[in-house]
Amino acid sequence: MAPAKPFATFESTKRFNKAFRALDPQRKKQADKAVRLLFQNPAHPGLETHQIRPDKYYWEAYMNRDERIIYIPEGPHLVLVDIVPHDDIDRYAKAPTAR
């Protein structure tokens, strides 16, 4: 179940910023819209937000039919992690390990 309350703050990782910069203008508009909706209403039905299995550490939100925004909700804080094609979502199935 997606966090029900809007987020108060957010940050984006270097990986997210790099992925965003690589998008064409139309997909940047889609990403902007998805991030805005995610920030304001993480339970918005168009985003279809859910935890990525099996570890359920990362969450995904639909950006469009083929691409997902990967994020971590930390209470009222939203961390934007990456933008990936749906076929690459498995790389976020496991929580990061401490090094």
Side-chain angles (χ1 to χ4, degrees), residues 53-85:
R53 296 178 187 265
D55 286 1
K56 297 183 179 182
Y57 178 79
Y58 294 102
W59 289 66
E60 69 175 289
Y62 283 42
M63 181 178 111
N64 57 38
R65 257 181 95 197
D66 301 318
E67 293 169 297
R68 305 296 184 257
I69 293 174
I70 307 302
Y71 69 99
I72 303 168
E74 295 179 341
H77 186 67
L78 169 64
V79 180
L80 300 169
V81 176
D82 203 352
I83 300 171
V84 299

